Amino acid sequence: MALNLTINTSDPPLGVLLAAEHVKNAVQVSVEEGKDNSLHISDSIQFSDANSICRYLARVAPALGLYGANMMEQTEVDHWLEFSARRLCDQPDLTSALGDLDKALSLRTFLVGRALTLADLSVWAALKDRSDWPGQGKPFPHVSRWFFFLNSQAPFSAVGTKYGRQKS
Amino acid sequence: CAIFKGTTNLDALLGKDLGALRDIVINANPAKPPLTLLVLHGLLCQRYRVLSTVHVHSSVSGVRPQLLSCLGPKHADSYARHMFQLGFTLIWKDVPKPQMKFSVRNMCPIEGEANVARFLFKLLAPYPSDPALATLVDSWVDTAFYQLADGSAKERAAVLRAVNSALGRGPWLSGPEFSLADVACYCCLLQNGSAASTAANVQRWIKSCENLGHFGPAQLLVK
């Protein structure tokens, strides 16, 4: 099965592109450039928001565990998907969101469980879009450690370099 | 309730029971009662022995009596926590959005009615095993809470058109089975009062939802 993902080139959805990059050995995803984000599944089902596309990609490659290892981890992933969409995007002031994120990461390497999940992908993508966050007055040491740890890994650096620059 | 098949084994879903009551603690703002969570609470009570309690946090005052009794009468055996499978503790509190704390040593606090609803629903019935159908359910849940409940009049009208057209293809929003998509959309329509003036398929679906009898707790609170 090959999936056709169309992305909005003027505002590339980094979280979706990262998810597509992670599942590429399990399912073939071809990326087309266009005006809107959409993943076409069938005549009656297509997804156009980033969280739905990410959820679908994680579910077609269950062995990767991107949606968490059990029901409680799934719920944490859901929490972070909403957090990235609602509290990190479209918010002028990130201070309180970054404070919450810093607290959550203080004893964790990854946001949920002991491995990479959609939570890491979508929160990283939202922060990558916000070049202003490292300088927002207060230091967020755990967010920085986690962000730059992911930043240095192959799919993150590749997606960040290829699409991150188109934004500014 | 016959409409939900499947899971009743909490150990399989939540990990081994270590002896303490599994308590689901929910903080919610009395200015905007989380109707979906109250409906799901009612369904959980049909499936499990649930010890339900309501508290009022010092950050709010003058909470309506309906909200204090929204989880039903106090249980006669409430002193014997070991007799219950689940605890459901609702705290009326001045929070911007509903928040759930469960198994706090393993799980971060969960924010957002949509995410708490997903968790509670999974205790009742598994999500569809088909990735597209499961994601369709989640997508309707997001639409319900972001656009139907909080959106502008224009956004709401667009969602209602989408709901109407989805209901032209099947009896329920995400296909042949009643799901969390229906619970969330029904409750959000009820909350913002736009259930009255809508298209034919939506009206038929509202009737079907009401016939199930699951929505009593939500209907009581919006009267």
Side-chain angles (χ1 to χ4, degrees):
Chain A
M1 177 181 65
L3 291 168
N4 283 319
L5 172 67
T6 308
I7 61 157
N8 172 1
T9 40
S10 63
D11 186 13
L14 297 184
V16 166
L17 289 161
L18 272 176
E21 194 65 24
H22 276 92
V23 303
K24 72 178 179 192
N25 292 326
V27 52
Q28 203 190 331
V29 186
S30 65
V31 179
E32 266 173 55
E33 305 201 329
K35 287 199 173 100
D36 292 301
N37 301 323
S38 78
L39 185 68
H40 183 89
I41 313 284
S42 69
D43 287 342
S44 63
I45 302 182
Q46 54 183 351
F47 300 115
S48 54
D49 71 290
N51 283 353
S52 295
I53 299 176
C54 284
R55 284 188 163 107
Y56 180 79
L57 292 175
R59 283 174 169 141
V60 285
L64 298 175
L66 287 177
Y67 215 139
N70 55 48
M71 181 185 151
M72 285 173 288
E73 288 188 12
Q74 280 170 22
T75 305
E76 287 188 276
V77 169
D78 287 330
H79 164 84
W80 291 113
L81 286 175
E82 175 169 334
F83 181 91
S84 54
R86 302 256 123 188
R87 294 192 54 200
L88 295 176
C89 302
D90 321 317
Q91 292 291 338
D93 183 14
L94 291 184
T95 314
S96 94
L98 285 169
D100 289 351
L101 187 58
D102 206 55
K103 205 165 124 197
L105 283 166
S106 63
L107 295 170
R108 286 169 179 258
T109 304
F110 298 101
L111 272 170
V112 176
R114 287 155 203 264
L116 194 77
T117 62
L118 288 183
D120 299 294
L121 306 189
S122 74
V123 174
W124 179 88
L127 285 183
K128 185 81 179 168
D129 277 351
R130 299 291 300 257
S131 51
D132 52 335
W133 72 269
Q136 288 209 350
K138 267 176 76 177
F140 299 101
H142 303 294
V143 181
S144 298
R145 164 183 49 77
W146 166 87
F147 182 82
F148 291 106
F149 159 66
L150 294 181
N151 226 19
S152 63
Q153 316 242 346
F156 291 86
S157 59
V159 166
T161 316
K162 184 165 179 203
Y163 296 99
R165 221 172 271 156
Q166 292 180 16
K167 301 218 161 190
S168 49
Chain B
C1 48
I3 197 150
F4 297 119
K5 308 184 265 283
T7 46
T8 41
N9 186 346
L10 287 176
D11 281 354
L13 284 174
L14 299 173
K16 204 171 151 24
D17 183 358
L18 297 174
L21 181 71
R22 294 179 168 106
D23 198 8
I24 299 168
V25 178
I26 292 170
N27 294 319
N29 198 316
K32 202 180 172 207
L35 300 184
T36 308
L37 306 187
L38 300 179
V39 168
L40 292 171
H41 165 264
L43 291 169
L44 285 169
C45 289
Q46 293 176 23
R47 170 68 58 86
Y48 302 105
R49 294 188 307 279
V50 183
L51 176 57
S52 313
T53 27
V54 179
H55 299 279
V56 178
H57 188 259
S58 58
S59 59
V60 295
S61 58
V63 175
R64 286 188 285 151
Q66 303 97 296
L67 296 182
L68 298 176
S69 59
C70 66
L71 299 187
K74 189 170 155 60
H75 207 286
D77 294 321
S78 58
Y79 60 91
R81 288 168 73 87
H82 63 276
M83 292 175 63
F84 296 89
Q85 292 171 289
L86 276 178
F88 194 104
T89 304
L90 176 64
I91 304 172
W92 295 114
K93 186 176 177 180
D94 184 19
V95 284
K97 50 175 129 180
Q99 190 186 53
M100 176 183 79
K101 292 181 185 175
F102 179 76
S103 183
V104 285
R105 285 168 57 171
N106 305 310
M107 258 173 103
C108 66
I110 303 302
E111 264 187 359
E113 189 170 341
N115 304 320
V116 179
R118 289 179 172 107
F119 175 83
L120 298 181
F121 191 84
K122 284 173 189 164
L123 296 172
L124 292 163
Y127 261 46
S129 55
D130 175 61
L133 281 184
T135 305
L136 190 61
V137 171
D138 281 324
S139 167
W140 277 118
V141 172
D142 281 348
T143 303
F145 288 105
Y146 304 157
Q147 276 121 49
L148 215 45
D150 291 341
S152 63
K154 204 175 148 194
E155 273 181 299
R156 280 216 298 272
V159 172
L160 280 171
R161 282 196 298 277
V163 168
N164 196 50
S165 103
L167 291 169
R169 290 191 292 267
W172 303 107
L173 275 172
S174 61
E177 306 251 355
F178 178 76
S179 77
L180 183 60
D182 302 289
V183 180
C185 286
Y186 178 87
C187 288
C188 290
L189 277 181
L190 195 66
Q191 193 144 38
N192 68 25
S194 49
S197 59
T198 41
N201 295 335
V202 181
Q203 282 305 332
R204 181 180 46 77
W205 165 82
I206 286 175
K207 282 271 178 321
S208 312
C209 286
E210 282 165 359
N211 285 340
L212 293 176
H214 301 329
F215 293 99
Q219 287 157 341
L220 273 179
L221 288 184
V222 293
K223 266 180 192 153

